[in-house]
Amino acid sequence: MKLHIMGRRLLNSILPVLLAFVIGAIVIVAIGENPLETYAILFEKSLLTPRGFFTTLHYASPLILTGLAIAVTFKANIYNMGVEGSMLLGAFFSGIAGAYLPDTLNPIAMQSICLMVGVVCGVLFALVPALLKAYLHVDEMVVTLMLNYALSKVLEFLSTGVFRDLSSGYVSTPVIHENAMFGRIAGLRITPFFFIAIVGFVVMLVVMKRSKLGYEIDAMGKNAEFAEATGMRVNRKIILLMVISGVLSGLAGAGWMMSEKFHYTLDFSGSPGLGWDGMLVSLLGGHSPVGVIIAAVLYAALKTGADNINMYSSVPKEIVSVVQALIILFLAAKFIDERLGLRRQVSEWLAARKAVSGEEA
């Protein structure tokens, strides 16, 4: 029975990806190219060469953390959509710390302070919806979505005014000091940030799979009311899980600032954003830590391989955006079904109709 459930979950995770690649292949055939050759270039250059593989791991680093930040709440049926906000706030103020602290600080001290600032900011952002959810039963999905928008405007104001780098030709904060930056390892794209993300993965793997809290997360996800009736203090657990999510998100933002961006710009997170990409990674990985890290590497491989498709074939790199969009579409349908139980409702409705038809006959 357990193997059957695991197999079904694996299929649910793999199917959206397979469908997206199949439809992408149809598009590639329609423009007169070979989809097998195109996909071979995509994965060979992003996963099967040392430089491409380490570049993929670099881009996967923030996705691992934001994916885990989503997974730890979604697993408990807490729909925290504020991971993007926590990540951006952590990134912004870790960048401010890295730029304005004295550059005479020891690199380890400077980097530790920047990471800590990012974590604290991520937690503070997550605490607002956590307290509203725990004690006032406010829908956390609505609150976090609205807070994301409000925060983006606040950070836009700060980066175009108070903290703007006037020497820059575009809107940005000052570049962080060199001793706040994570250096590349052996000339490759990968930095110590990747190993920080791996530590986060190991900790969350233990928490979710080998701890009492992990059991409580599963219990809340299955039936929060029953968990409360058995003596579990659900309100406290909601706050704790949102805090953990904030820690992971803030760490993702600070690490990405220190290893890739080095200053805050209005497009710091990219499109749709590292927090939203983390949600897709979590959904694709079935809200499991192991699934999240596999999905993060796969998703990063698409980003790494896109430019190679343009260089080594006649297929435009936008085909990768098409595949990513299709994955988003299928995962969004999966999320809506999980949230609203549409398949269950349709099955119940069909069963009721069949029963009525049987009685009339």
Side-chain angles (χ1 to χ4, degrees):
M1 184 66 178
K2 188 174 181 180
L3 288 174
H4 172 71
I5 294 173
M6 289 177 62
R8 188 173 62 185
R9 288 178 179 172
L10 184 62
L11 180 62
N12 286 338
S13 296
I14 292 175
L15 194 58
V17 179
L18 289 178
L19 286 173
F21 275 104
V22 167
I23 296 174
I26 294 172
V27 175
I28 294 171
V29 169
I31 62 177
E33 298 294 333
N34 187 328
L36 294 179
E37 291 180 1
T38 302
Y39 289 152
I41 293 171
L42 173 67
F43 289 110
E44 179 185 351
K45 299 299 181 181
S46 61
L47 293 174
L48 301 180
T49 64
R51 184 166 295 277
F53 179 67
F54 285 112
T55 301
T56 295
L57 293 184
H58 171 67
Y59 284 117
S61 302
L63 298 181
I64 293 169
L65 293 171
T66 54
L68 291 170
I70 290 286
V72 73
T73 52
F74 274 43
K75 189 81 171 176
N77 274 346
I78 304 168
Y79 294 100
N80 175 23
M81 315 294 278
V83 167
E84 176 76 3
S86 289
M87 187 276 303
L88 286 177
L89 191 64
F92 183 89
F93 281 104
S94 69
I96 295 302
Y100 285 92
L101 285 172
D103 59 1
T104 54
L105 275 177
N106 179 281
I108 295 177
M110 175 75 89
Q111 292 166 6
S112 299
I113 291 171
C114 291
L115 289 175
M116 188 57 64
V117 168
V119 166
V120 170
C121 290
V123 169
L124 290 176
F125 186 82
L127 265 180
V128 176
L131 293 172
L132 291 174
K133 168 73 173 177
Y135 295 110
L136 298 178
H137 305 292
V138 178
D139 191 315
E140 73 281 5
M141 181 182 288
V142 175
V143 174
T144 49
L145 283 171
M146 293 176 66
L147 281 176
N148 279 336
Y149 178 77
L151 177 73
S152 69
K153 293 302 177 183
V154 170
L155 295 183
E156 182 179 338
F157 169 76
L158 292 176
S159 57
T160 55
V162 181
F163 295 109
R164 180 167 183 173
D165 181 6
L166 298 178
S167 65
S168 174
Y170 52 93
V171 175
S172 74
T173 59
V175 175
I176 63 176
H177 297 311
E178 188 174 347
N179 57 353
M181 299 177 183
F182 285 135
R184 296 185 180 184
I185 298 173
L188 300 169
R189 199 68 180 269
I190 196 167
T191 72
F193 177 44
F194 171 73
F195 300 100
I196 293 173
I198 292 299
V199 171
F201 159 73
V202 172
V203 170
M204 293 311 301
L205 181 65
V206 173
V207 167
M208 295 180 71
K209 298 297 184 183
R210 293 288 185 268
S211 73
K212 178 185 175 184
L213 180 58
Y215 169 78
E216 291 171 334
I217 291 171
D218 287 338
M220 288 172 62
K222 291 174 181 175
N223 193 321
E225 290 78 10
F226 179 76
E228 183 79 49
T230 58
M232 188 187 303
R233 296 184 176 181
V234 172
N235 288 348
R236 291 187 180 183
K237 293 300 180 294
I238 289 172
I239 296 173
L240 175 59
L241 295 179
M242 289 290 281
V243 165
I244 293 173
S245 181
V247 168
L248 294 167
S249 307
L251 189 61
W256 196 234
M257 170 64 74
M258 297 161 64
S259 64
E260 174 68 18
K261 295 295 187 178
F262 308 127
H263 60 176
Y264 185 88
T265 59
L266 298 183
D267 63 346
F268 175 86
S269 189
S271 179
L274 296 173
W276 303 116
D277 286 344
M279 183 181 299
L280 301 176
V281 164
S282 181
L283 289 169
L284 192 58
H287 309 315
S288 160
V290 174
V292 163
I293 197 170
I294 294 172
V297 172
L298 172 64
Y299 205 76
L302 294 178
K303 180 179 179 65
T304 305
D307 292 332
N308 290 303
I309 285 179
N310 222 19
M311 292 172 59
Y312 295 97
S313 75
S314 301
V315 178
K317 68 177 182 179
E318 283 73 20
I319 191 64
V320 174
S321 298
V322 172
V323 172
Q324 288 176 317
L326 288 167
I327 293 174
I328 291 170
L329 176 64
F330 294 135
L331 288 177
K334 177 184 174 184
F335 171 68
I336 292 171
D337 178 57
E338 289 178 353
R339 173 73 166 165
L340 302 178
L342 295 180
R343 281 186 299 177
R344 177 179 53 78
Q345 293 180 30
V346 170
S347 298
E348 291 175 354
W349 180 78
L350 290 174
R353 291 277 298 177
K354 186 176 181 180
V356 170
S357 300
E359 289 175 1
E360 289 176 353

